[in-house]
Amino acid sequence: MAKQLTLGEMLLEKGLIEKKQLERAVEYQEKSSEKLRMGEVLVRFGFATERDVLLCLGEQFDVPVVDLTKEKPEGDALDVVPRSTARLHNIMPVRLSDGALVVAISDLDLSIIDNLQFILDREIRPVLAPAEDIEQAIQQYYGTEESTVDNMLREFSESEVSYAEMSAYERSSYEMSSYEPSVFEAEQGERGGRKRDEAQREDAAIIRLVNLLITEAVRQRASDVHVEPLGNRLRVRYRIDGVCREVESPPKRLQAPMMARLKLMSGMDLAEKRRPQDGRILMKAAGHHIDLRVSDIPTTDGESIVMRILDKETVMVSLTELGFDESDLGRFENIIRQPNGIFLVTGPTGSGKTTTLYAALHKLNRPDTKILTAEDPVEYHMSGINQTQVEPIIDRTFANILRAMLRQAPEIILVGEIRDSETAEIAIRAALTGHLVFSTLHTNDAPTTIPRLIDLGIKPFLVSSSVVAAMAQRLVRLACRSCKEPHEYPEKYLRAAGWKPEEAAGMTLYRGRGCAECNGTGYRGRTGIFELMEMAPDLRELAFQKAPAGQIRAKARALGMTTLMEDGLRKVRRGMTTLEEVLRVAGGVEEVE
């Protein structure tokens, strides 16, 4: 009897995934603390679509796969399953067949099928459909109340003052007062009871609204949620693929209760409105366990809150997924395997530096290697690595943690960021005493890291002998695979890229026209562009002589360094991204405006 193929083997055999992707998924599944199925891992990493996984599962277990966008559920079947049951289990009744109920589910979970048979007292015949299709079908055929932010906003009355808008002190007084009612209050008791009931309903609606805003942000792959008070309105924006997009926002009168709810969830002081505060929210949204780092600052129009969404599945990527060109990837892997020295990654906030360094640590994480990190904050917890949180309030600074680390006998050290001369000096000395040190620095390009370290007070000979490489990086948006099409760019764009018209004539360049998959933007997902400068003898000599960044850059280019722009243009020629996106991120925008 032939051995039955596993799900991963079936996808590989059908050419739906690559061998390296399957190996990466198996490795992550073994190391992850979550008990994830192979299909879930492959979909999370974007290696396979949910429909491809379901088709293989259906073939494996002889269960049909249905397209709910084309097959309309029968009314009799909808009458059998209450809306609450459909939403709770994320199922969609399709039809009745010989007394049995055909139900669309997104996962062959026998416990769900058993529960449904018990609850509905009816035989259940499962069929498979993507979870997103089931959610849309529930909204379409059962109604959308309580399911979208837009509908939630309609729940709120147009009254100017409500219980939900009270300050924390007023609300506490209102709920917790235990004094005996006066004669006048007794006469108003019935009306007060109605107000209390109405207030409690509205307060519950505020909670649901805030949860929906966060859940929708996760579904749309947002990295940040901005809740910003303006003069006459409250604005909510999601940062998706590095660009802020405004979404349907609550009315201005909900500003106070929303801010109070977010501060309560993140553990902030509700009464403090004069000073900036930081907090943290741990929750599950859209099937993801997420960590939100919350920042609250006072503004002239009220408190502004930004939530950074940290999803550990999105950062645990392999080196091959970062976007390196093959030649740069080989050089990068050689650099991170050096026995000692310091490797610096530079770029602005949000350029993917942490993801790159975590991918490097993940590659180097072995039982025989001790790895220590000092981070502010510890964004993602990695199994097998000792991570330390910076806490300046108790004098646990980067410099102090780094000193203590050297007594722990590590082979590899990660310093989240070099911010001052003290941290820089200790990191350099650690690199010179047999440790491999990774860190980040805020400079615009790779060659500038050398003068920057010298400006921090590090002696040129120490910089020259300790730095093994510096790498600048940015993130560019990928052209949407569903709607990208060939596009002819005006000559000014080609000129900004350094291409002559005759040179560009032989290229096929692309641009996304916008579709439902990419929310009309023409882009979906991001990849890195890199500028990797390895230290060679000539560059070490220039560092020792305190040469300016321009001179170092010229020598690095002569030695074969690829610039950010050049790496971006390589990805443009391959159809991965667009010319205007690379010009926007890597420079040259002013030339085409």
Side-chain angles (χ1 to χ4, degrees), residues 242-455:
V243 178
C244 279
R245 301 178 195 165
E246 187 167 352
V247 298
E248 186 67 27
S249 301
K252 178 72 171 178
R253 65 185 188 80
L254 298 182
Q255 176 177 320
M258 280 189 62
M259 296 302 182
R261 175 61 187 167
L262 288 169
K263 290 173 71 174
L264 181 66
M265 292 173 69
S266 54
M268 296 181 188
D269 183 352
L270 293 177
E272 180 57 75
K273 298 183 179 180
R274 301 168 300 168
R275 298 176 181 172
Q277 296 188 73
D278 293 314
R280 184 182 184 188
I281 301 173
L282 297 172
M283 63 183 292
K284 186 173 183 179
H288 295 247
H289 292 280
I290 61 171
D291 183 351
L292 294 110
R293 299 299 167 92
V294 187
S295 171
D296 171 42
I297 63 169
T299 71
T300 55
D301 295 311
E303 294 174 277
S304 174
I305 286 182
V306 175
M307 292 173 281
R308 186 179 183 195
I309 301 173
L310 304 177
D311 184 351
K312 63 182 178 182
E313 283 86 10
T314 62
V315 77
M316 296 305 294
V317 300
S318 65
L319 292 179
T320 55
E321 296 170 74
L322 292 174
F324 281 110
D325 186 77
E326 286 188 14
S327 59
D328 284 341
L329 178 60
R331 294 166 59 208
F332 183 87
E333 290 185 331
N334 288 334
I335 289 167
I336 65 174
R337 287 194 173 94
Q338 295 295 315
N340 55 66
I342 184 166
F343 176 41
L344 296 166
V345 181
T346 78
T349 302
S351 60
K353 300 188 298 295
T354 299
T355 301
T356 297
L357 290 177
Y358 274 31
L361 292 185
H362 182 74
K363 182 79 173 179
L364 299 171
N365 187 15
R366 299 188 304 269
D368 61 345
T369 303
K370 186 175 181 67
I371 303 176
L372 298 176
T373 76
E375 303 172 63
D376 184 21
V378 175
E379 294 188 359
Y380 303 93
H381 295 275
M382 301 181 68
S383 176
I385 294 177
N386 297 297
Q387 297 170 270
T388 305
Q389 171 83 42
V390 170
E391 295 287 356
I393 196 169
I394 57 173
D395 205 29
R396 201 160 73 193
T397 61
F398 277 119
N400 289 340
I401 294 173
L402 196 47
R403 286 192 188 93
M405 280 182 174
L406 297 178
R407 296 191 289 272
Q408 294 275 313
E411 280 81 28
I412 299 171
I413 295 172
L414 167 65
V415 183
E417 182 182 349
I418 292 179
R419 297 176 179 172
D420 52 50
S421 58
E422 186 181 17
T423 306
E425 184 174 353
I426 300 170
I428 292 289
R429 293 196 179 280
L432 292 172
T433 53
H435 304 86
L436 179 60
V437 180
F438 296 132
S439 191
T440 68
L441 199 64
H442 283 290
T443 64
N444 290 327
D445 56 23
T448 310
T449 57
I450 302 302
R452 174 64 178 150
L453 287 173
I454 295 173
D455 287 344

Side-chain angles (χ1 to χ4, degrees), residues 495-509:
R495 188 170 58 251
W499 291 334
K500 297 177 181 178
E502 57 272 19
E503 183 182 0
M507 303 178 189
T508 302
L509 307 181

Side-chain angles (χ1 to χ4, degrees), residues 228-240:
E228 305 161 314
L230 302 178
N232 56 359
R233 67 189 184 100
L234 181 65
R235 180 171 68 180
V236 177
R237 295 191 290 175
Y238 296 159
R239 187 180 295 278
I240 303 172

Side-chain angles (χ1 to χ4, degrees), residues 477-489 508-525 527 570-580:
R477 292 178 292 173
L478 293 169
C480 177
R481 293 183 180 181
S482 300
C483 66
K484 74 176 183 180
E485 57 188 12
H487 179 74
E488 290 187 14
Y489 286 92
T508 302
L509 307 181
Y510 292 87
R511 186 180 187 183
R513 67 176 181 274
C515 65
E517 188 73 16
C518 60
N519 289 324
T521 64
Y523 299 96
R524 183 174 176 84
T527 192
R570 281 193 299 209
K571 292 175 170 63
V572 171
R573 287 192 292 268
R574 292 171 186 167
M576 298 172 62
T577 185
T578 67
L579 183 53
E580 61 252 65

